[in-house]
Amino acid sequence: MRDTAAMSHRPPLPAGVWVLGFVSLLMDVSSEMVHSLLPLFLVGTLGVSVLAVGLIEGVAEATALVVRVFSGALSDWWGRRKGLAVLGYALGALSKPVFALADGVGLVAGARFADRVGKGIRGAPRDALLADLAPPGRRGEAFGLRQSLDTAGAFIGPLLATALMLAWASDFRAVFWVAVVPGALAVALLAFGLREPARAPGPRRPPPISRGELARLPPAYWAVVGVGALFTLARFSEAFLVLRAEQLGIAAALVPLVMVAMNLVYSASAYPFGRLADRVDRRWLLAAGLLVLVLADLVMAWATGWALLLAGVALWGVHLGLTQGLLGAMVADSAPEHLRGTAFGLFHLASGLAMLLASALAGLLWTTLGPAATFLAGAAFALAALIALAPVVMARRGGTR
C-alpha cells in the first residue's frame, strides 16, 4: 500500500488528461445517438434486411480492429500522436451528416465504415497520448477518468436520442443532424484544447511492426495482452444483456434501460477504481474483476424479472469499471515509450478478436441450449480465468504492479 497521506495531497491531473476525457465523452454522445437508432432506421425506414445490418456491423468492426494496429504503429514511427487522433475523430464527426442524408443502404454502409475507420485510427494513438500525458504513478487514475467520461457518453447519447425521438415524432434524420454537434465539438476541443508533449529528438526508428521492433516489447507487456484477451474471452458482447431482458419479457420500450443502467454503474466506478489501481497491487484488482464477472453471469443466468436482471447488469458494470481502465494503465506501464502506440494497437486487436470469438460462442450456446446456459458458460470461463490468474496473483503479495 502506498503512502496514502502523500496520495491525498497530489496535484490535479494534467489538463490534457481531462481534455481527452471530454473529447471521448462528446464523441460517444454523438456516436451513440446514431448507433442506438441505426438498426431501426435501416430496417424500418430504408427496408434493409437484418442480415445486411449484421454484415455492415461486422465488416465495420473488423476494419476498426485492423486499423488500430497500423495507426498506433504509425504514431510511434512519426513520433507524434495528436494529428492521427484528430484525423480519427474528424472522420467520425464527418460521418454523422451522411447518416442524416442517406436515402439508401450504400450511403449508410459507407458512413458506418468511415466512422469505424475513424475509431480505429484514433484509438491507439489517443491511448498512447494519454499515457504520455499522465504522471507515471497516476496512470490508473488517468485511464479510469477517461473511461468514466467515455462511458458517460455511452448512456447520455441513447437517452438524448430517445428524448428527441419522443419530442419529434420519431424523426430519425433530425436526431442524426443533432448528433453532428457533439461530434464537431469533440474535434474542435482536441484540435485546439490540447498540446502534445514534446518528445526528445532522435534517429527515426524502423517501422514498429517489424520483427526487430516487436522483439523490444517486453514479456511483461505480452503477459498483459494475454490477460486482456483472457478477460475478454470470459466476457461476451453486452448485446446479450439486452437479449436477456427481452427474453425475460421486459417491455420493448424499457429494454434500452438495461444498457443505460450498465453504463451508469460502469461510468461511476471506473474513476474510483482507477485511483485505487495506483495504490494497491493491480493483480488483486484483476482477480476481483473476474470474481465480480462470475457473480454477474450467475445472477443473469438465474434472473426471472427486473430485480435480478438489474442486479446482474450492475455487477457487469462494476466488472468493467474494475478492469478496463486498469488494463489500459498496465499496457502503458509495461510498454516502452517509443512503442506505446503499437502496444495499444496490438492489445486492442487481441481483445477484439477474443470478443468476436466469445460472442460467437455465446450466440451458439444461446441458440442450442438457451439463455441461462450462455451465462453459466460465461461464469465457467471467468472462473477458469480466475484460477489461471491465481498463481500470478499469489506469487508476490506486495507491490503495485
Side-chain angles (χ1 to χ4, degrees):
M1 183 83 60
R2 296 187 180 184
D3 186 351
T4 54
M7 297 278 289
S8 64
H9 293 90
R10 294 178 303 179
L13 285 170
V17 173
W18 285 93
V19 168
L20 287 175
F22 279 105
V23 167
S24 292
L25 184 150
L26 287 167
M27 185 54 72
D28 246 37
V29 169
S30 175
S31 295
E32 292 303 324
M33 286 182 69
V34 174
H35 300 163
S36 62
L37 299 175
L38 192 58
L40 297 176
F41 177 68
L42 282 166
V43 175
T45 302
L46 299 182
V48 176
S49 70
V50 175
L51 174 60
V53 173
L55 289 174
I56 291 170
E57 290 297 309
V59 171
E61 294 296 340
T63 302
L65 288 176
V66 175
V67 171
R68 279 188 178 192
V69 178
F70 291 101
S71 66
L74 192 59
S75 76
D76 290 333
W77 189 54
W78 278 350
R80 309 296 293 173
R81 311 195 194 278
K82 177 181 170 180
L84 283 168
V86 171
L87 173 62
Y89 279 107
L91 272 177
L94 289 171
S95 72
K96 301 306 184 288
V98 180
F99 289 114
L101 295 169
D103 57 2
V105 68
L107 276 178
V108 172
R112 184 72 172 126
F113 184 79
D115 177 64
R116 293 298 88 181
V117 168
K119 182 175 182 179
I121 289 174
R122 68 183 181 254
R126 178 206 61 211
D127 289 346
L129 180 57
L130 180 61
D132 294 342
L133 289 165
R138 301 178 66 185
R139 288 188 181 130
E141 181 181 359
F143 277 87
L145 174 66
R146 194 208 69 82
Q147 196 67 63
S148 178
L149 291 171
D150 179 89
T151 309
F155 65 79
I156 293 172
L159 284 177
L160 182 56
T162 300
L164 292 176
M165 288 286 281
L166 291 172
W168 293 343
S170 298
D171 188 339
F172 287 95
R173 297 182 191 278
V175 177
F176 293 164
W177 278 118
V178 173
V180 174
V181 176
L185 289 174
V187 178
L189 179 59
L190 179 59
F192 302 109
L194 184 143
R195 176 176 295 178
E196 183 171 0
R199 300 178 69 182
R204 175 158 292 189
R205 292 183 174 274
I209 306 181
S210 64
R211 183 176 300 178
E213 287 297 282
L214 292 179
R216 296 176 181 269
L217 290 169
Y221 163 75
W222 293 110
V224 175
V225 172
V227 168
L230 188 65
F231 269 57
T232 309
L233 278 173
R235 185 193 71 248
F236 37 77
S237 169
E238 286 86 17
F240 288 92
L241 303 181
V242 175
L243 292 173
R244 182 61 165 153
E246 183 181 44
Q247 186 267 334
L248 289 173
I250 305 300
L254 299 178
V255 166
L257 294 178
V258 170
M259 293 305 296
V260 171
M262 192 274 287
N263 283 313
L264 272 170
V265 175
Y266 184 5
S267 178
S269 61
Y271 179 59
F273 283 134
R275 285 176 59 90
L276 185 62
D278 292 327
R279 306 184 185 200
V280 303
D281 191 327
R282 291 172 175 175
R283 294 167 297 178
W284 285 98
L285 288 182
L286 290 174
L290 279 172
L291 182 59
V292 171
L293 181 59
V294 172
L295 295 175
D297 280 325
L298 291 177
V299 172
M300 293 297 293
W302 295 330
T304 56
W306 262 117
L308 283 179
L309 175 72
L310 289 179
V313 166
L315 286 168
W316 197 285
V318 171
H319 158 77
L320 292 172
L322 265 167
T323 60
Q324 298 310 289
L326 170 59
L327 287 167
M330 292 174 71
V331 171
D333 285 343
S334 61
E337 180 180 354
H338 72 281
L339 287 175
R340 278 184 187 147
T342 305
F344 275 106
L346 291 171
F347 174 81
H348 290 310
L349 177 63
S351 298
L353 292 174
M355 175 62 73
L356 289 175
L357 178 59
S359 297
L361 180 58
L364 178 63
L365 289 170
W366 187 289
T367 303
T368 56
L369 299 176
T374 300
F375 287 99
L376 289 174
F381 278 120
L383 186 59
L386 182 60
I387 293 171
L389 190 64
V392 179
V393 174
M394 299 302 296
R396 184 164 58 94
R397 293 181 180 235
T400 59
R401 293 292 179 271

